Amino acid sequence: MSEILLEMKNITKEFPGVKALDNVSLKIHRGSVHALMGENGAGKSTLMKCLFGIYSKDSGSIILDGTEVNFKNPKEALENGVAMVHQELNQALKRSVVDNIWLGRYATYAGFITNERKMYNDTAKIFESLNIKVDPKVIMSTLPVSQRQMVEIAKAVSYDSKIIVFDEPTSSLTEQEVHHLFAIIKKLKEKGCGIIYISHKMEEILEISDYVTIMRDGQWVASEKAENLDMDKIIKLMVGRELTTRFPPKTNSIGETILKVEDLSSMYSNLKNVSFELKKGEILGIAGLAGAGRTELLENIFAISERKSGKIFIHGKEIKNKNVRQSIKAGLALVTEERRANGIFAILDILNNTTISNLKSYKVKGLFLSKRKMKKDTQWSIKAMRIKTPSQETQIRTLSGGNQQKVIFGRWLLTEPEIMMLDEPTRGIDVGAKFEIYQLIIDLASKGKAVIMVSSEMPELLGVCDRILVMSGGRVAGEVVSSKTSQEEIMTLAAKYV
């Protein structure tokens, strides 16, 4: 039996105006974790989509367990032992967990009557083997993103796959859930499974990987054993230059109070009696474990979800925002956590995705939109955000996750908000692009804007924010000054009401 489980040779893939993959090769060893790294737009996800049958490669060959394969669609890939856990979850949210696990392959009696009991028992057995604490009968939409991610991992395992691709699997997981995922990956390795692990989190890569392949601009750069690499070497190979500091220097100065939240409670979540203040030029971090109410807090302030009680003041004046349009008018902006679900308009181009929140400023004679001004603003956004795209007319769904995030960031900057709220703004973004986002956040604060930033990455909160509000069980558990606290203190507060 060959040690090489999967080999991709000289894979090339072109899209209109861009060569996404240029003769890329990859070897996956049996019973190993092979990390795939590179900046956003490097071609990592495109390479995996060619393997999984989402894209058809233009040239090259794929050899799985000694046999050349060319999957025409994901169903064919799954049936032949190749599974993929996508960064952007695409699930049937109105169906149960069981339905999502067995979608398209229901167990039946006599070939046509659905065998609900067998599917439930098989799901429970898989969850037990992976130590996943989720009720198979619950509706998927009722689960937090982190648990939905674990369900997707269980689904991949249910195919008894030879190869499992994990695309940014920890982007929505807590530290405890990350350790759980790594335990699952260890079990899969012991079974002889080959794991392809895409992540921008270098600490994870060095902890979990046996081999690392680095890509840049659609080309193979290097493949090394993980034990021969360190963080500095990986960064240099990824970005083609030295990255001397992880966070930009702080240049913002803090002024008077701009936002005051009093006793905010949500109608349909655990958010209860949250109060805090935000000052002009300040970057306020929001920390907490999964289910702490961080996202719910931002959505309540922005009037996406219904408020049960509480008051919001901007510049000392109470605002009665009951919908998103009123929130934008009041000077608020929100970059959401889940790009695909509620951030991008996938079938629209970059121009429309950039300008859609600011259409009123493009009106001409009250009837028409000025295409010239829309193009000018979109070009500013592409340049300012350093978005990698062939043109403004490119559909946003063809961009990498990080470049999609930059488009959303640029969209909200065009509304000229006074208060920018960011929910996991660097989720799924490479180290070089993260630095650029951090610089944008600090620049905003330096111009007198106020920023609220939710993040699951503790070093990010400590490196970028001035203060950190720690949430636990839907309540404020404490408040710390970034320069005077530690990860241990934040974690202690985060567990206060759990």
Side-chain angles (χ1 to χ4, degrees):
M1 188 182 288
S2 171
E3 185 191 350
I4 304 300
L5 180 59
L6 172 73
E7 187 170 7
M8 302 182 77
K9 293 180 179 178
N10 304 317
I11 306 297
T12 298
K13 177 66 181 174
E14 288 191 46
F15 295 106
V18 62
K19 197 166 192 175
L21 296 173
D22 186 5
N23 288 306
V24 177
S25 296
L26 182 69
K27 286 183 181 180
I28 306 300
H29 294 72
R30 202 178 299 274
S32 72
V33 177
H34 197 119
L36 195 54
M37 300 193 72
E39 291 190 277
N40 292 110
K44 309 179 297 296
S45 293
T46 303
L47 183 65
M48 291 302 98
K49 286 174 181 177
C50 287
L51 167 65
F52 197 54
I54 296 172
Y55 295 153
S56 58
K57 63 188 186 307
D58 295 333
S59 62
S61 58
I62 300 171
I63 299 161
L64 176 63
D65 220 358
T67 304
E68 185 166 351
V69 296
N70 186 25
F71 304 130
K72 294 179 177 63
N73 52 57
K75 184 175 184 289
E76 204 173 284
L78 288 163
E79 288 169 350
N80 284 274
V82 177
M84 188 168 177
V85 180
H86 298 272
Q87 177 187 351
E88 305 290 352
L89 300 176
N90 191 12
Q91 297 166 318
L93 296 180
K94 301 301 180 186
R95 307 296 299 177
S96 70
V97 168
V98 169
D99 285 339
N100 273 270
I101 293 282
W102 305 106
L103 204 60
R105 50 186 181 132
Y106 281 3
T108 58
Y109 298 107
F112 62 92
I113 301 170
T114 303
N115 190 339
E116 299 278 359
R117 183 184 292 276
K118 177 173 170 40
M119 291 195 302
Y120 176 85
N121 289 339
D122 287 350
T123 303
K125 197 179 293 181
I126 293 166
F127 283 5
E128 185 180 356
S129 71
L130 301 177
N131 195 28
I132 294 174
K133 310 291 187 188
V134 173
D135 180 356
K137 292 181 180 177
V138 303
I139 300 301
M140 188 66 82
S141 62
T142 64
L143 297 176
V145 177
S146 59
Q147 288 191 340
R148 284 170 47 204
Q149 183 85 302
M150 298 308 283
V151 170
E152 200 68 11
I153 291 164
K155 182 176 180 177
V157 171
S158 76
Y159 281 93
D160 199 23
S161 306
K162 300 173 188 175
I163 294 282
I164 300 181
V165 180
F166 290 92
D167 191 355
E168 296 287 350
T170 64
S171 59
S172 57
L173 302 184
T174 63
E175 194 172 339
Q176 186 179 359
E177 288 165 336
V178 170
H179 291 311
H180 183 192
L181 172 65
F182 287 176
I184 292 172
I185 288 174
K186 189 178 178 183
K187 283 184 183 179
L188 293 170
K189 275 178 63 176
E190 289 167 357
K191 285 171 59 180
C193 194
I195 307 294
I196 302 174
Y197 192 93
I198 301 174
S199 178
H200 294 304
K201 298 179 181 179
M202 264 160 289
E203 295 90 345
E204 288 180 6
I205 292 295
L206 295 172
E207 180 182 345
I208 194 70
S209 304
D210 301 297
Y211 301 90
V212 178
T213 287
I214 293 158
M215 295 175 65
R216 190 188 325 134
D217 298 328
Q219 296 180 322
W220 176 91
V221 173
S223 292
E224 292 269 3
K225 283 190 173 182
E227 62 192 29
N228 298 332
L229 294 169
D230 58 28
M231 205 175 291
D232 290 339
K233 190 173 181 182
I234 291 172
I235 291 171
K236 190 175 180 182
L237 288 167
M238 275 175 60
V239 302
R241 63 185 189 277
E242 299 279 0
L243 199 65
T244 52
T245 54
R246 191 168 175 184
F247 302 103
K250 298 292 292 294
T251 56
N252 56 311
S253 55
I254 298 168
E256 73 278 2
T257 298
I258 188 171
L259 172 73
K260 188 176 182 181
V261 174
E262 287 185 356
D263 295 321
L264 198 65
S265 296
S266 171
M267 186 72 78
Y268 301 112
S269 74
N270 65 346
L271 199 69
K272 188 177 180 182
N273 298 329
V274 173
S275 298
F276 69 92
E277 290 187 7
L278 175 69
K279 298 180 185 299
K280 191 175 180 180
E282 183 180 31
I283 304 168
L284 176 68
I286 309 284
L289 304 173
R294 298 169 301 168
T295 295
E296 290 79 3
L297 174 60
L298 299 194
E299 288 181 347
N300 253 265
I301 293 171
F302 202 58
I304 289 176
S305 57
E306 193 172 346
R307 202 169 299 146
K308 184 179 181 181
S309 60
K311 296 179 179 180
I312 298 173
F313 300 86
I314 294 179
H315 293 302
K317 183 182 177 182
E318 186 178 357
I319 62 166
K320 302 277 190 179
N321 57 324
K322 292 184 179 178
N323 55 50
V324 170
R325 185 179 283 109
Q326 290 174 357
S327 298
I328 295 170
K329 192 175 179 181
L332 295 164
L334 173 62
V335 176
T336 58
E337 178 184 6
E338 293 188 76
R339 282 187 295 273
R340 186 171 178 173
N342 47 33
I344 64 168
F345 297 87
I347 62 170
L348 297 183
D349 59 18
I350 308 302
L351 183 143
N352 282 292
N353 269 279
T354 300
T355 57
I356 201 160
S357 293
N358 201 33
L359 291 178
K360 65 173 191 228
S361 70
Y362 305 117
K363 282 185 179 179
V364 179
K365 297 180 181 178
L367 293 173
F368 307 102
L369 296 175
S370 169
K371 202 70 178 264
R372 183 187 62 79
K373 191 169 187 301
M374 290 168 76
K375 283 184 174 181
K376 183 181 176 184
D377 281 356
T378 302
Q379 195 54 45
W380 170 86
S381 177
I382 290 170
K383 187 177 179 182
M385 303 296 116
R386 299 187 187 180
I387 298 163
K388 291 180 182 176
T389 177
S391 73
Q392 296 185 16
E393 287 73 39
T394 302
Q395 283 189 342
I396 193 169
R397 65 180 176 181
T398 67
L399 300 188
S400 66
N403 281 302
Q404 290 176 5
Q405 186 77 323
K406 289 180 185 180
V407 171
I408 298 167
F409 214 97
R411 172 200 300 166
W412 286 114
L413 288 181
L414 287 173
T415 68
E416 298 183 347
E418 291 194 77
I419 299 158
M420 188 78 138
M421 298 187 292
L422 312 171
D423 196 353
E424 303 285 1
T426 64
R427 180 185 171 195
I429 293 181
D430 65 75
V431 65
K434 275 185 178 182
F435 190 90
E436 292 170 4
I437 294 291
Y438 298 149
Q439 188 65 69
L440 283 166
I441 292 168
I442 292 168
D443 287 348
L444 269 175
S446 299
K447 291 171 183 171
K449 308 294 185 185
V451 180
I452 303 175
M453 184 170 89
V454 168
S455 177
S456 298
E457 293 189 40
M458 211 76 74
E460 181 170 272
L461 290 173
L462 293 168
V464 177
C465 301
D466 302 298
R467 271 187 309 136
I468 300 170
L469 200 71
V470 186
M471 296 191 66
S472 178
R475 292 179 277 176
V476 175
E479 181 188 297
V480 294
V481 176
S482 303
S483 60
K484 297 176 182 177
T485 190
S486 64
Q487 293 193 34
E488 291 74 20
E489 184 183 10
I490 292 170
M491 287 305 296
T492 301
L493 287 168
K496 188 173 180 180
Y497 300 124
V498 174

